[in-house]
Amino acid sequence: MARDERKRPTIYDVAREAELAPSTVSRALSNPGRVSSRTREHVLAVADRLGYQVNSLASALPSGRTHTVALFVSDITNPHFFGIIRGAEHQARAAGCTLILGDTEESPEVEARNIERLGSSVDGFVVAASRMTDEDIEALAGKHRVALISRQLAGLPSVIVDHVDGTREIVEHLAALGHESLVYLAGPRRAWLTDQRWRGLAQAARRVGMSARRLGPFQPTMRAGANAADVALGSGATAAVAHNDLMAIGMLRRVAERGMRVPDDLSVVGFDDIFGSDISSPALTTLGGPFEEVGRLAVDSLLGMREKSREAGRAEQIVLPSHLVIRGSTGKAPVR
Amino acid sequence: MARDERKRPTIYDVAREAELAPSTVSRALSNPGRVSSRTREHVLAVADRLGYQVNSLASALPSGRTHTVALFVSDITNPHFFGIIRGAEHQARAAGCTLILGDTEESPEVEARNIERLGSSVDGFVVAASRMTDEDIEALAGKHRVALISRQLAGLPSVIVDHVDGTREIVEHLAALGHESLVYLAGPRRAWLTDQRWRGLAQAARRVGMSARRLGPFQPTMRAGANAADVALGSGATAAVAHNDLMAIGMLRRVAERGMRVPDDLSVVGFDDIFGSDISSPALTTLGGPFEEVGRLAVDSLLGMREKSREAGRAEQIVLPSHLVIRGSTGKAPVR
DNA sequence: GTGAAAGCGCTAACAC
DNA sequence: GTGTTAGCGCTTTCAC
């Protein structure tokens, strides 16, 4: 142990050993096109022999490129973000970048503070399910590269999973089962998705002649699901659409606690198709999506984002298809 | 947008504005004890007015301290790591550090490569459930600060959740229910915990006169749980202890698929008490632990680790208590 | 294609 | 206490 106490070799060590200038070594390592292939190979060989490794800090200082991107999620304990995190991690690694993960814990303040703190030590930010206001996000985007997940904002690249078709599918599924009324147990007011989902549900319900009410807001957690379940049961509706699976699973449990049955007394639908949604009983009907792909694409468009494209306002807004996963928590509407 | 195109102010800007030397500004900002309180306040005021923010990259270069720590987990989609990640994140933030999260995907190669890649751009590594060999970890520890989670190695700080008392509790619980035989569905060979858990189970079983067999190894995933269930059912044992909850939940499902019942035909126990273990049916009996605390303490001991203490070999090895969570997946042994 | 030299923004001796 | 002066290890003009 501690045998390797001498410092790591630098490009100067490599340069001396290779009898070249440091700048040439630098080029050979990071700008291979600008040196002859002979020198490049020589440099690579010497670097390898000396066990040279780039000091990413040092190279980031003059260049400004840190090869690091940050991903912020609103709640790291929500399995919904699993796929997103993994996808982002893969894409970041594929692009030679390191991913920093941050948890904003549902707070716009924590979100803003943590982003500011990272400041110039990352190349950009992917923000999933941001709770910040449009204005704050725009201000942020004025200073850093930003890509959004589960949120759209003019001029910024974003990746979302479709909710228009998705909510329509949910409503039609419920209508087919004979339901004539649904309640939406809304998520946090600051979550962009909350309004989007409600809008989609309300519109689709209107079209099929189903009544729809919005209740809440609730925190998007299992715990809050208990409260949501009580409210839903009290509403008289036969179907409840929860803002996410965490809430929906909490509802499932609460309904059972109260001696009622899902789906006989109440059908329950969630969003996200998280880990756990198929092990509850009954298993949860939910709107899933390709979330690894979401994470991957978000990092991709962040890194591909050139300064120019921001000004041009031609940031790509990607919408990936969702799919309804029908399981045991939805069934025929009870006869009243 | 793009209105803030001028560069961020540096300490030189602050120094000029405050009519002081850059070094004084530097001290006022990061070494407050070494300047007069008047200058400090002056500097702070000017910095604030100019909107100065430290460039953490630039300060890391000469000082060598990056105020960043990396946490590597063996599988980021395993909810077991939730608590650990969140605890680590909190502690890192409390210490003014940024946390980088890495997923090693059960591979010692990915693990080693990713750690090497981060190299000197972090102050240290917390490695949870490392799949590397003792030798590789020691080599790593010769070059970087390392703290281990769910693994012990002489001379390195580590945090684990007790498995000796824990496995004893499991066995005694099963014995109390009349079980006379158990099988352990082992986790990956490279996971340190696999042997530790087996040793604990075997020893405790011997003491209560229960027969115990080790089967596997299996991947610690839900998918592998199906396989594990078949093997367990074929073994003739009345109780199965899975390497973790993911496997155990997979077993639960597979047993049901085969038309058998848990716990009537087979009792199932897991480890970790993950999200999901209480929503399966039956809910899972499992050995839980204070995993947020584990994450917190690991970061804590990493950051508190002075170069000296490594040589002195007095790294602290923390063992946190586990607790058995008894739920519906364990019951009376079937009468044979 | 390669070398010399000037930084990137900060810290840390070392003077005073 | 505060200022001066070298760097930290790399990139990047600018010459040749």
Side-chain angles (χ1 to χ4, degrees):
Chain A
M1 206 174 293
R3 62 191 107 78
D4 249 325
E5 218 48 83
R6 56 190 175 192
K7 324 181 65 147
R8 299 164 45 135
T10 71
I11 52 168
Y12 286 90
D13 300 316
V14 177
R16 194 178 328 110
E17 192 76 9
E19 301 189 311
L20 286 165
S23 51
T24 306
V25 174
S26 171
R27 285 187 204 101
L29 260 25
S30 50
N31 224 338
R34 294 173 53 78
V35 294
S36 78
S37 60
R38 269 198 62 236
T39 39
R40 185 175 66 247
E41 273 160 33
H42 182 208
V43 167
L44 257 36
V46 172
D48 194 61
R49 178 153 52 79
L50 261 48
Y52 169 81
Q53 305 229 126
V54 292
N55 180 330
S56 49
L57 248 50
S59 65
L61 230 205
S63 71
R65 278 170 289 103
T66 62
H67 294 285
T68 301
V69 306
L71 168 64
F72 282 95
V73 299
S74 57
D75 173 14
I76 206 167
T77 65
N78 184 343
H80 163 51
F81 293 112
F82 275 176
I84 291 178
I85 293 171
R86 178 159 263 189
E89 229 253 326
H90 279 180
Q91 185 63 33
R93 184 147 73 229
C97 288
T98 299
L99 185 79
I100 291 182
L101 182 70
D103 183 0
T104 65
E105 299 179 14
E106 300 285 349
S107 152
E109 288 78 27
V110 173
E111 199 174 326
R113 179 154 26 90
N114 286 0
I115 290 178
E116 214 46 72
R117 226 169 57 73
L118 243 39
S120 59
S121 47
V122 300
D123 288 342
F125 297 91
V126 175
V127 188
S130 175
R131 302 308 195 222
M132 294 200 289
T133 63
D134 283 359
E135 292 70 34
D136 287 345
I137 293 181
E138 270 162 5
L140 174 68
K143 297 155 77 177
H144 310 278
R145 287 200 212 175
V146 178
L148 265 22
I149 286 177
S150 294
R151 179 151 186 172
Q152 286 183 331
L153 193 53
L156 288 185
S158 60
V159 186
I160 66 170
V161 161
D162 163 82
H163 49 260
V164 178
D165 266 10
T167 48
R168 186 185 46 70
E169 259 195 290
I170 291 172
V171 169
E172 285 174 0
H173 167 61
L174 292 173
L177 291 170
H179 292 270
E180 299 177 341
S181 60
L182 72 78
V183 286
Y184 170 55
L185 293 317
R189 218 182 313 255
R190 290 185 175 113
W192 180 82
L193 277 179
T194 295
D195 281 344
Q196 299 300 314
R197 286 178 177 163
W198 166 239
R199 201 171 303 176
L201 289 170
Q203 195 166 45
R206 206 175 313 124
R207 219 155 27 213
V208 300
M210 191 184 298
S211 89
R213 281 173 60 198
R214 168 178 177 160
L215 304 172
F218 300 93
Q219 279 296 310
T221 61
M222 261 181 69
R223 176 189 298 257
N227 196 359
D230 288 344
V231 171
L233 287 172
S235 76
T238 60
V241 180
H243 179 73
N244 72 2
D245 284 355
L246 246 26
M247 267 180 68
I249 291 171
M251 290 179 69
L252 253 33
R253 173 177 300 188
R254 176 61 179 166
V255 172
E257 261 176 36
R258 289 190 45 184
M260 323 270 302
R261 285 166 316 166
V262 172
D264 302 328
D265 297 306
L266 182 73
S267 281
V268 174
V269 181
F271 284 88
D272 297 345
D273 191 21
I274 64 171
F275 165 84
S277 63
D278 60 340
I279 62 184
S280 63
S281 62
L284 193 64
T285 293
T286 179
L287 192 72
F291 294 110
E292 265 195 51
E293 192 65 14
V294 168
R296 210 186 333 267
L297 288 174
V299 168
D300 200 42
S301 58
L302 182 80
L303 293 176
M305 193 181 162
R306 288 158 312 114
E307 294 301 315
K308 303 302 161 200
S309 72
R310 253 202 292 172
E311 299 166 8
R314 287 187 302 106
E316 48 179 356
Q317 312 218 118
I318 303 173
V319 180
L320 261 27
S322 56
H323 56 268
L324 185 63
V325 183
I326 297 176
R327 300 205 187 93
S329 70
T330 45
K332 279 228 183 81
V335 191
R336 288 267 160 96
Chain B
M1 205 172 294
R3 63 190 105 77
D4 250 325
E5 217 48 82
R6 57 190 173 192
K7 325 182 61 147
R8 299 164 45 137
T10 72
I11 52 168
Y12 286 91
D13 300 316
V14 177
R16 194 179 329 107
E17 190 76 9
E19 301 188 312
L20 286 165
S23 53
T24 306
V25 174
S26 172
R27 285 187 204 104
L29 259 26
S30 50
N31 224 338
R34 294 175 53 78
V35 294
S36 78
S37 59
R38 268 197 64 235
T39 38
R40 186 176 63 248
E41 274 160 33
H42 182 207
V43 167
L44 257 37
V46 172
D48 194 60
R49 178 153 53 79
L50 262 48
Y52 169 80
Q53 303 228 127
V54 290
N55 180 328
S56 49
L57 248 51
S59 65
L61 231 204
S63 71
R65 278 169 290 102
T66 62
H67 294 286
T68 301
V69 306
L71 168 64
F72 281 95
V73 300
S74 57
D75 173 15
I76 207 168
T77 65
N78 183 345
H80 163 51
F81 293 112
F82 276 175
I84 291 177
I85 293 170
R86 178 160 263 188
E89 229 254 325
H90 279 179
Q91 186 62 34
R93 185 148 74 229
C97 288
T98 298
L99 186 78
I100 290 180
L101 183 69
D103 183 359
T104 65
E105 300 178 13
E106 300 284 351
S107 152
E109 288 77 27
V110 174
E111 199 174 326
R113 179 153 29 89
N114 286 358
I115 290 179
E116 214 46 73
R117 227 169 58 73
L118 244 38
S120 59
S121 48
V122 299
D123 288 342
F125 297 91
V126 176
V127 189
S130 176
R131 302 307 196 224
M132 294 199 290
T133 63
D134 283 0
E135 292 69 35
D136 287 345
I137 293 180
E138 270 161 4
L140 173 68
K143 296 157 77 178
H144 309 278
R145 289 200 211 174
V146 177
L148 265 22
I149 286 177
S150 295
R151 178 147 185 176
Q152 288 183 329
L153 193 53
L156 287 185
S158 60
V159 186
I160 65 171
V161 161
D162 163 82
H163 48 260
V164 178
D165 265 11
T167 48
R168 186 184 46 69
E169 260 195 290
I170 291 172
V171 170
E172 286 174 0
H173 167 61
L174 292 172
L177 291 170
H179 293 271
E180 297 177 341
S181 59
L182 72 78
V183 285
Y184 170 56
L185 292 317
R189 220 183 311 256
R190 289 184 175 115
W192 180 81
L193 277 178
T194 295
D195 281 344
Q196 300 299 314
R197 286 178 177 162
W198 165 240
R199 201 172 301 175
L201 288 170
Q203 194 166 43
R206 206 174 313 123
R207 219 154 28 210
V208 301
M210 191 184 297
S211 88
R213 281 174 61 198
R214 169 179 178 160
L215 304 172
F218 301 93
Q219 278 297 308
T221 60
M222 261 181 68
R223 175 189 299 257
N227 195 357
D230 288 343
V231 172
L233 287 171
S235 75
T238 60
V241 180
H243 179 72
N244 72 2
D245 284 356
L246 245 26
M247 267 180 68
I249 291 171
M251 290 180 69
L252 252 35
R253 172 176 301 189
R254 176 62 180 164
V255 171
E257 261 177 36
R258 291 191 42 185
M260 322 269 303
R261 287 166 316 165
V262 172
D264 302 327
D265 297 307
L266 182 72
S267 283
V268 174
V269 180
F271 283 88
D272 298 345
D273 190 22
I274 64 171
F275 166 84
S277 63
D278 60 341
I279 62 183
S280 63
S281 64
L284 194 63
T285 294
T286 179
L287 192 71
F291 293 110
E292 267 197 47
E293 192 65 14
V294 168
R296 211 186 332 268
L297 288 174
V299 168
D300 200 43
S301 59
L302 181 80
L303 293 176
M305 193 179 162
R306 290 160 309 115
E307 293 302 315
K308 302 302 161 200
S309 72
R310 253 202 293 171
E311 298 166 9
R314 287 187 300 104
E316 47 180 357
Q317 313 218 117
I318 302 174
V319 180
L320 261 27
S322 55
H323 56 269
L324 185 62
V325 182
I326 297 176
R327 300 205 186 94
S329 69
T330 46
K332 280 227 184 79
V335 191
R336 291 265 159 99

